[in-house]
Amino acid sequence: MLAEIEKLLAQVHTESGSDAAGQPSRQRSPSSTAHVHTGIGAIDSDLAHTPPTPARRVIELAGTAGSGKTQALLRICATAAMAPASADVVLIDADGTLDLRRLARQMRQMAVDGGATDSAAEAAAAQALQRIHVFQPATTHALVATLAMLPRYVRERRLRVRLVAIDALGGNHWIDRKEAACLQLKIKRATPWFRLQQLLVDTLLATCQRLDCLAAVAQVLVLPAFASEDERQERVFAVGGREFRDAMIPRWQAIVLRTYVLEPAVCPDGLTRVSFAMHGQPARHAAVIGPWGLRNCD
């Protein structure tokens, strides 16, 4: 089993955030932080009243394509890496499309907003990028193997990881067409896809528990809700006047602390205003996305 995991890990592209964004890399000493501050008002307000539990460690960002999920995820990663008691961040790019230069721009803008000069902001971003550890598993099997081996990766490098971020969760199912076909089945418990999803969910939770960290996951909504009431799943997302169904197995909901549905709207000035709403509740927080990344509305 270990040999098979090692074989899968050999297929996973990994680099530091500084490498991915074209910045020089250097050795670093372990860092620590008592709490992950996400930098997004809606999420931080909720975490202050409902902190993670051992069984619920996942913050889920759900939305249609172009809704700002990835940018919100990058904001969370940047905030964790740039905090005064800075933490190492594991960033998993599940579909291989993430551009880490967006993360670098977000970090530079956050430093400028904090009062730093342009040169100081550049230095702060370069330093923070060194605490981002990027993995690009091409399949769900490789994603599970990556999560399973993270505790060893962290231990060998003496890191202090406080956040595991996964962008485009489920995107590898669309790359692996054989697995994606199983999404159309009404009953999934007997399918290899369902068993693999169970393994993914359980491995993510176990890894977060061993690392004592939080997970932030961006999940795209692409599957329309079933028309028949008999086929409807427990979670239906209403976005932009349309309904979408959950692509994850029911077990997923047991490890999710909060689910936020993101819905974008283009402003007259060309910026994008993104509303955050807890699943099933009205939106109560908004952020703006521009070339510099995501910024909370005042």
Side-chain angles (χ1 to χ4, degrees), residues 119-258:
S119 59
E122 194 73 32
Q127 185 177 25
L129 282 168
Q130 295 170 29
R131 292 188 283 272
I132 306 291
H133 305 263
V134 185
F135 295 83
Q136 291 182 313
T139 66
T140 306
H141 290 90
L143 173 56
V144 171
T146 300
L147 290 170
M149 297 303 286
L150 272 183
R152 191 180 80 177
Y153 175 90
V154 169
R155 182 176 65 252
E156 290 177 349
R157 288 159 180 77
R158 300 178 62 229
L159 305 177
R160 177 72 71 177
V161 171
R162 284 294 174 259
L163 177 70
V164 173
I166 305 177
D167 186 43
L169 180 67
N172 37 33
H173 296 307
W174 306 108
I175 295 173
D176 190 337
R177 303 297 297 182
K178 184 177 180 181
E179 289 181 357
C182 296
L183 286 170
Q184 305 302 320
L185 297 179
K186 180 178 177 182
I187 299 176
K188 303 173 187 174
R189 285 181 172 76
T191 68
W193 175 85
F194 190 92
R195 290 193 293 270
L196 185 59
Q197 284 274 18
Q198 284 183 315
L199 185 60
L200 171 61
V201 172
D202 292 342
T203 304
L204 175 59
L205 178 60
T207 296
C208 288
Q209 289 174 336
R210 290 185 63 182
L211 297 178
D212 191 23
C213 71
L214 195 68
V217 174
Q219 184 174 182
V220 65
L221 300 175
V222 295
L223 299 173
F226 289 120
S228 170
E229 290 293 335
D230 293 337
E231 293 179 316
R232 278 186 177 269
Q233 294 184 327
E234 292 184 20
R235 294 205 302 177
V236 174
F237 300 85
V239 181
R242 299 177 58 193
E243 288 189 337
F244 297 87
R245 61 187 167 95
D246 189 8
M248 299 297 289
I249 62 174
R251 168 83 174 107
W252 171 252
Q253 299 174 47
I255 72 169
V256 172
L257 178 66
R258 284 285 188 270

Side-chain angles (χ1 to χ4, degrees), residues 52-111:
T53 67
R56 292 183 180 271
R57 298 265 182 163
V58 177
I59 294 172
E60 182 181 29
L61 305 171
T64 54
S67 61
K69 303 177 306 301
T70 296
Q71 200 62 62
L73 190 73
L74 294 180
R75 171 73 187 215
I76 295 173
C77 292
T79 302
M82 298 183 74
S86 51
D88 288 283
V89 175
V90 171
L91 177 55
I92 300 177
D93 178 14
D95 67 355
T97 62
L98 187 62
D99 185 353
L100 265 293
R101 289 173 295 187
R102 296 166 62 186
L103 177 59
R105 289 194 294 269
Q106 175 78 80
M107 289 175 167
R108 285 193 291 269
Q109 187 60 49
M110 288 171 59

